[in-house]
Amino acid sequence: MKTLVIAEKPDMGRTIAAVIEPKAKNNRSYLEGDHYIITWAIGHLLGLAEPDAYDVKYKRWNFGDLPILPEAFKIVPNPRTIEQLKIIGDVAKRCDAIVNACDAGREGQYIFALIQQQLGLNQPVKRLWISDLTAESIAKGFDGLHDSSEFENLTMAARARSEADWLIGMNASRAFTTKHRTLLSVGRVQTPVLALIYDRQKEIESFDSLSYYEIKAEFEQTGRKYIGTWQGDRLTDGEKAKALADKVRGREGMISEYDVKDTKEYPYKLYDLTLLQREANAKYGYSAKKTLDLAQALYEKHKVISYPRTSSNYVTEQNIDGMHKTLHMLKSTSYKELAEGASPGLVHVNNKSVCNPTRVEDHHAILPTLKRGANLSADEQNIYDLVIRRFLSHFYPPAEYKQHTVLTLIEEETFKTNMKELLSLGWKVCQPGDDSNKSSGRSKKKDEEEDTEELVSEPIQIDKDQPVLCLEAEAKEKATQPPKAFTEGTLLRAMESAGKQLENEELRDAMKDAGLGTPATRAATIERLKNVGYITMQGKRIIVTQKGRMAIELIRHAGVELLTSPEMTGQWERRLYQISKGEAAREKFMDNVKKFTLSIIDKVRIQPKADASLFETEEEEKSKSKGSRGNSTSTKQGKSTGDSSGSTPRPRASNTKDSTTKASSAPGVLTPLAPCPRENCGGQLIEGRKGFGCTHYKQGCGFVIWKEFSGKKISEAMLRTLLEKGQTQLLSFKDPEGDFKARIVLANRVTGQLELQKTDG
């Protein structure tokens, strides 16, 4: 009998096989050698079943059927990857031991646990727990396999997270959707993240800008010129500001105070995933999801970085030797100059800014591996470059400066000057092209109006005892600025630190290491908000849609504002961590989640129904109307509805009296119209306000047929004809170049894309 190794993804499985069974036979879905059979999941092969798996009545979304509280949760295979699940089951029959080689973390543990449960695998299990996929790490990991019992608590925490999310998501989404007749997606992470964006946008919209005046003066002393800013209460009177500038211009004064001190700036922390996503967004405009995908490819496909889904910025003692070896490897790459200029002695076990085992849980910070980066795409190279330069920076000394603070007194008016004299770049040689002044301004956010700082490389020579001449003075009108809209980078930072602004000191302290989601799930949360139509992007700025506004307002007005607060999800993550460490009971946690679920249903039940018009702006209506005028033979459905984002709207409950009569037999019910034509989907099509969409949108089905196409309204009868015959009967269309006849054709049974097929006549 052989040992079965189950990796999380194909690339990981093949990489492991190359180390433990280099001569293994490739059978496409698994590799087999003398001692091991290596196969893999493809991410999540299984998930929690939809409500209708417990009772067929749940196929119809009916408020009266809530809450849905399964006694035991059922799991179902993902129809798109069910063949791989069967293969794992088949090869397992020929093995008497199993190695869980899924990602070393809560989700990797959960993926394996569901496979084990579904297939009834009862062989003894060992756990491979490694942070990168280098041959050295894999070999070392197999030499020191862990017993699976060490991770039972982590598995319980993973199950609790998944089942609790199901209870809140399924019940709250159905409650708000059936109550307000518009599909409203609710989740314990996505909803408070949406609330963060909503609250920031409300701040921006309600911001009342105030005008004020800033007075800058140019001074000269023995040939040396410098700029100072007037110190005093904020001036809002333009005439007074101009008079003050006139008062000092051309006058001689003195230096009332002059302070010089040496300062050092140390390298920024090693990357965790969130920090990498933030910087990639700021520097390259990459979305959080794109950065995660690129980092995952660098880890899985190219093996040039360590496990990226980490929340740690530090390493352990065991990583130090590997870091030194990687530094040596980089001397034979395009980073040769930086690597040769580095000082290996700066990275050691006593350097707490790098090596801090108490701050490393499942995974250490993102590090480059011993494998050279080759054949990387341009985007992959950008992410790899960030990791390499951050890594190298810790082998360099701190940047050194002299900080000069000058107070200049002219006609009894005081002007302040901050100058930073560069003595040594230190680690900043690893950051070419960065604005050094910007890089050094980490503390400036403490006070938005702190005086600007001039960075100079030449020596500053100012004599405190010599007079100073004011060459010029000018009063400039300024305006207070509103808070900035979130970008994906700044939103990630807000998600990471969520809860720290809570007034309750005890709770704030309890949440100091918690946030909204985990590094591995934050990108998916942002994408989810886009996909359900709650947010949209304007360049790099995140904007809340009207639907997103209404979702937050309805939830808060229902009296379940805890759903919109980081408080709840922070408490959950903390409790899940305690469960994973055996410090809290899973059963108690789930009981509390069920009680909260019941309270949501009770409060939504008595909430007044929202008017349908509140979910859509005038601009959206105009866009829909304008976009429905398509007339080309190759008109695509996305374009015909003015959907420039390319995202797939989700099915919604009907809003008009007519459509309610057709689509439901009772208030708050969504009636299936036809099976989803997407192969192996298993969902049902329901009528929304703009189209007919699939109930399995949460599982990733993007099938939707819009109600308007090329000036024609798609009725239920036309929908059924399209699904059964693939095309409608011959229809008449108007066109400025001449009317024509055509059929509407279902061109894509996966997306629901429609096209026009003109007749020859």
Side-chain angles (χ1 to χ4, degrees):
M1 300 290 278
K2 298 178 181 180
T3 296
L4 176 64
V5 179
I6 302 176
E8 189 161 320
K9 293 183 180 177
D11 281 340
M12 298 169 66
R14 294 188 181 99
T15 301
I16 291 170
V19 176
I20 64 172
E21 285 283 13
K23 296 181 180 179
K25 180 183 177 182
N26 188 346
N27 294 286
R28 291 190 62 190
S29 297
Y30 66 95
L31 296 124
E32 185 166 357
D34 294 335
H35 305 287
Y36 294 98
I37 297 176
I38 303 97
T39 188
W40 43 79
I42 308 173
H44 284 269
L45 297 182
L46 296 131
L48 296 181
E50 289 285 306
D52 57 58
Y54 301 94
D55 194 318
V56 70
K57 70 180 181 181
Y58 293 134
K59 282 189 176 182
R60 293 156 59 105
W61 286 33
N62 190 335
F63 196 103
D65 291 332
L66 300 178
I68 306 170
L69 302 172
E71 289 185 16
F73 282 87
K74 298 179 180 181
I75 58 174
V76 292
N78 183 331
R80 288 174 291 183
T81 54
I82 194 168
E83 290 304 316
Q84 185 62 24
L85 183 65
K86 291 177 181 176
I87 286 167
I88 295 174
D90 290 341
V91 295
K93 295 172 184 175
R94 299 194 281 118
C95 300
D96 60 359
I98 297 176
V99 174
N100 172 8
C102 293
D103 282 351
R106 191 170 74 192
E107 286 309 298
Q109 196 68 18
Y110 187 49
I111 287 170
F112 177 83
L114 292 186
I115 294 172
Q116 187 181 33
Q117 175 185 341
Q118 179 73 8
L119 298 177
L121 305 179
N122 53 18
Q123 297 94 326
V125 177
K126 295 289 186 179
R127 183 59 158 113
L128 175 70
W129 194 270
I130 57 177
S131 292
D132 58 59
L133 288 173
T134 61
E136 183 182 22
S137 293
I138 293 168
K140 188 175 179 181
F142 270 86
D143 285 341
L145 291 171
H146 298 264
D147 192 274
S148 64
S149 61
E150 296 177 36
F151 302 92
E152 286 180 3
N153 289 327
L154 185 62
T155 303
M156 284 197 291
R159 288 186 184 277
R161 192 279 308 160
S162 180
E163 293 171 5
D165 280 346
W166 192 99
L167 289 173
I168 296 295
M170 289 295 180
N171 284 283
S173 295
R174 287 187 176 218
F176 281 101
T177 294
T178 54
K179 184 70 176 186
H180 302 292
R181 313 295 292 164
T182 295
L183 189 75
L184 296 172
S185 178
V186 181
R188 67 99 187 176
V189 174
Q190 72 171 45
T191 301
V193 173
L194 177 61
L196 283 176
I197 305 168
Y198 169 90
D199 290 340
R200 174 66 60 85
Q201 194 158 316
K202 292 289 282 185
E203 280 185 70
I204 294 169
E205 291 167 355
S206 62
F207 184 80
D208 188 10
S209 182
L210 298 174
S211 294
Y212 67 97
Y213 293 85
E214 181 183 72
I215 302 170
K216 295 273 189 182
E218 183 181 24
F219 304 110
E220 182 181 38
Q221 184 193 70
T222 60
R224 166 74 194 187
K225 295 179 181 179
Y226 62 93
I227 304 295
T229 304
W230 179 75
Q231 302 296 290
D233 294 336
R234 177 179 285 175
L235 288 171
T236 56
D237 187 322
E239 291 300 320
K240 285 185 179 180
K242 182 177 180 302
L244 200 153
D246 293 340
K247 174 183 175 183
V248 300
R249 189 184 300 110
R251 300 290 183 171
E252 189 174 274
M254 58 177 285
I255 294 176
S256 61
E257 191 175 320
Y258 181 32
D259 180 57
V260 182
K261 63 180 179 181
D262 292 326
T263 61
K264 292 182 179 181
E265 189 173 336
Y266 291 86
Y268 301 147
K269 292 185 293 186
L270 291 167
Y271 285 124
D272 61 14
L273 176 59
T274 302
L275 185 55
L276 180 63
Q277 289 170 317
R278 283 166 46 192
E279 299 224 351
N281 180 258
K283 188 166 186 177
Y284 301 114
Y286 293 165
S287 69
K289 182 181 184 301
K290 180 172 182 177
T291 299
L292 174 57
D293 290 344
L294 291 169
Q296 200 69 22
L298 292 172
Y299 166 64
E300 287 182 12
K301 180 180 177 182
H302 301 288
K303 287 89 179 176
V304 294
I305 67 170
S306 62
Y307 185 77
R309 297 169 184 252
T310 175
S311 59
S312 177
N313 305 103
Y314 302 91
V315 302
T316 66
E317 296 95 334
Q318 289 73 34
N319 301 118
I320 299 299
D321 182 56
M323 292 178 73
H324 286 168
K325 289 178 180 177
T326 300
L327 175 65
H328 182 73
M329 177 275 292
L330 291 172
K331 292 179 181 179
S332 59
T333 69
S334 58
Y335 297 96
K336 176 182 178 181
E337 187 176 343
L338 287 175
E340 289 184 339
S343 300
L346 292 175
V347 173
H348 51 81
V349 295
N350 294 318
N351 180 349
K352 293 304 179 185
S353 65
V354 175
C355 183
N356 191 343
T358 62
R359 302 292 296 274
V360 179
E361 292 178 6
D362 295 340
H363 306 284
H364 56 68
I366 301 173
L367 299 173
T369 67
L370 288 169
K371 186 171 182 181
R372 291 170 176 80
N375 302 317
L376 305 182
S377 69
D379 289 339
E380 288 170 343
Q381 180 61 46
N382 285 339
I383 299 300
Y384 184 60
D385 187 69
L386 287 176
V387 174
I388 290 289
R389 292 181 182 278
R390 182 60 60 93
F391 168 81
L392 286 171
S393 69
H394 286 273
F395 290 92
Y396 278 80
E400 296 183 9
Y401 303 89
K402 276 189 182 295
Q403 187 85 37
H404 299 256
T405 304
V406 185
L407 294 182
T408 306
L409 190 64
I410 305 282
E411 294 294 313
E412 298 183 350
E413 302 294 344
T414 299
F415 292 80
K416 185 177 182 180
T417 303
N418 289 317
M419 289 183 286
K420 202 170 187 179
E421 178 186 344
L422 176 64
L423 301 178
S424 171
L425 268 177
W427 64 272
K428 290 194 174 182
V429 299
C430 299
Q431 309 292 335
D434 283 4
D435 184 332
S436 297
N437 191 25
K438 177 182 175 182
S439 299
S440 65
R442 281 186 270 189
S443 63
K444 289 186 181 178
K445 290 183 181 178
K446 294 177 184 176
D447 185 354
E448 293 266 336
E449 297 182 25
E450 184 177 330
D451 295 322
T452 55
E453 185 176 71
E454 181 185 3
L455 180 66
V456 296
S457 55
E458 70 276 6
I460 296 173
Q461 295 178 338
I462 292 178
D463 189 338
K464 183 179 183 303
D465 300 321
Q466 291 294 318
V468 175
L469 177 65
C470 179
L471 299 177
E472 183 56 75
E474 184 180 6
K476 290 187 177 180
E477 185 174 2
K478 299 259 185 174
T480 55
Q481 297 299 308
K484 291 184 178 180
F486 279 118
T487 64
E488 288 203 28
T490 57
L491 180 59
L492 285 168
R493 182 175 184 174
M495 292 170 72
E496 188 177 39
S497 61
K500 292 181 180 178
Q501 72 276 24
L502 292 171
E503 293 182 6
N504 184 305
E505 185 176 346
E506 183 179 350
L507 181 58
R508 186 170 63 245
D509 183 63
M511 291 179 62
K512 66 180 184 294
D513 295 321
L516 291 172
T518 66
T521 61
R522 286 175 187 139
T525 298
I526 296 173
E527 291 303 308
R528 172 74 178 153
L529 292 174
K530 294 177 187 176
N531 292 338
V532 298
Y534 283 162
I535 63 173
T536 186
M537 303 299 296
Q538 289 185 2
K540 290 173 68 173
R541 296 186 306 138
I542 300 174
I543 304 298
V544 178
T545 65
Q546 181 63 19
K547 182 181 178 183
R549 289 172 183 264
M550 284 304 299
I552 292 299
E553 290 170 6
L554 287 171
I555 291 168
R556 285 177 170 167
H557 291 162
V560 285
E561 59 275 2
L562 189 60
L563 273 175
T564 69
S565 167
E567 178 181 333
M568 183 183 81
T569 195
Q571 288 175 333
W572 276 31
E573 286 297 339
R574 178 170 173 264
R575 189 66 66 197
L576 290 169
Y577 174 76
Q578 291 174 336
I579 293 171
S580 73
K581 299 297 181 183
E583 299 167 0
R586 175 182 178 275
E587 294 74 15
K588 177 66 174 175
F589 171 76
M590 292 304 298
D591 284 345
N592 288 334
V593 172
K594 290 176 182 178
K595 289 176 184 176
F596 183 58
T597 300
L598 291 170
S599 74
I600 294 171
I601 305 302
D602 290 341
K603 290 178 179 179
V604 177
R605 180 178 285 110
I606 60 174
Q607 185 179 34
K609 176 180 174 294
D611 188 271
S613 63
L614 296 175
F615 291 95
E616 197 166 80
T617 63
E618 289 183 17
E619 289 75 11
E620 287 170 333
E621 287 286 0
K622 289 177 182 177
S623 175
K624 183 177 77 171
S625 175
K626 181 180 178 181
S628 66
R629 299 176 192 150
N631 48 43
S632 166
T633 56
S634 61
T635 300
K636 303 294 183 185
Q637 187 174 354
K639 292 180 181 178
S640 72
T641 56
D643 181 17
S644 60
S645 69
S647 61
T648 305
R650 304 306 182 196
R652 310 189 197 193
S654 305
N655 284 293
T656 64
K657 289 183 179 179
D658 291 342
S659 60
T660 301
T661 303
K662 290 186 295 182
S664 60
S665 58
V669 177
L670 295 175
T671 303
L673 301 174
C676 177
R678 185 169 177 169
E679 189 176 358
N680 294 325
C681 173
Q684 295 286 326
L685 297 187
I686 57 174
E687 183 178 2
R689 210 148 40 85
K690 291 184 178 181
F692 302 96
C694 181
T695 55
H696 279 190
Y697 66 91
K698 286 188 177 181
Q699 284 83 355
C701 182
F703 186 92
V704 61
I705 289 181
W706 302 102
K707 285 186 178 179
E708 292 192 31
F709 178 71
S710 293
K712 295 292 184 184
K713 290 189 175 181
I714 306 296
S715 65
E716 283 186 28
M718 290 172 70
L719 170 71
R720 291 191 174 93
T721 301
L722 283 167
L723 296 174
E724 293 168 8
K725 300 181 179 180
Q727 62 183 24
T728 65
Q729 62 184 7
L730 212 55
L731 303 171
S732 297
F733 293 82
K734 295 185 179 296
D735 190 285
E737 298 179 8
D739 296 349
F740 63 95
K741 290 186 180 294
R743 301 178 192 275
I744 299 176
V745 177
L746 179 57
N748 191 321
R749 300 182 76 85
V750 173
T751 64
Q753 176 185 302
L754 303 179
E755 291 182 1
L756 286 183
Q757 188 178 82
K758 283 187 177 181
T759 61
D760 293 336

